Amino acid sequence: MKAKTVLVSAAVGVGLGTLLLPGAAWAQTIVSPASTPVGGTVVLTATTCNPKSGDAIFRVTGPDRDINVRSTTAAAGGGLSAELFTAGFTLGTYTVTATCGDGSAAGTATFTVTPIGGAQAGGRTDGGGAGSVAAGVALLGSAAGGALILARRRRHATMAATG
């Protein structure tokens, strides 16, 4: 009897999963760009929301935010979109969950807020250490110039003493 109950439960679960999977697979929320500096702007788009069904609600959660952004703007590629200005956001990753005006889920996406300039704190920039090399060359050049000046002064002092 227990084996039959388990099999029936498994069959019902597979059946419901098969019915719900297409709806979940079509739900899509996009955040562009996926990374922005503090004070940058990201575009939130729920591609499966029908503008005729009402506003899309984008819930943004992260290190210092739990806000809703409402959109009535039709996206160029379909769906609804909104712009989000990240001034005052803390560095980190944020999750966007979209809900269409008819109450259907439109999926989730993430974006990252980075320091101005794009490099993570303590990280290496795209220069790959070129600034360190330039500073080293400048120091070596200064040391060589100083040594040359000292050598000339000694030579003049020696010539004056013997002359």
Side-chain angles (χ1 to χ4, degrees):
M1 187 73 163
K2 288 183 181 183
K4 187 176 183 179
T5 305
V6 170
L7 288 175
V8 170
S9 296
V12 170
V14 168
L16 284 174
T18 303
L19 290 174
L20 297 176
L21 181 61
W26 289 104
Q28 189 173 13
T29 297
I30 300 168
V31 180
S32 180
S35 181
T36 187
V38 173
T41 301
V42 293
V43 177
L44 315 173
T45 305
T47 61
T48 58
C49 290
N50 183 349
K52 294 178 182 177
S53 296
D55 304 347
I57 303 293
F58 298 95
R59 182 170 181 207
V60 180
T61 56
D64 67 341
R65 293 284 187 270
D66 188 357
I67 60 172
N68 289 327
V69 179
R70 181 178 299 270
S71 172
T72 58
T73 305
L80 291 166
S81 67
E83 288 187 354
L84 178 64
F85 187 52
T86 62
F89 275 52
T90 298
L91 304 181
T93 301
Y94 292 80
T95 300
V96 178
T97 305
T99 305
C100 299
D102 62 5
S104 62
T108 62
T110 60
F111 68 95
T112 303
V113 176
T114 61
I116 294 174
Q120 292 292 337
R124 189 173 220 174
T125 62
D126 289 339
S132 298
V133 171
V137 169
L139 287 172
L140 285 174
S142 296
L148 183 63
I149 290 171
L150 284 175
R152 284 185 181 178
R153 284 186 180 171
R154 284 186 185 166
R155 188 177 70 189
H156 287 310
T158 303
M159 291 173 94
T162 58

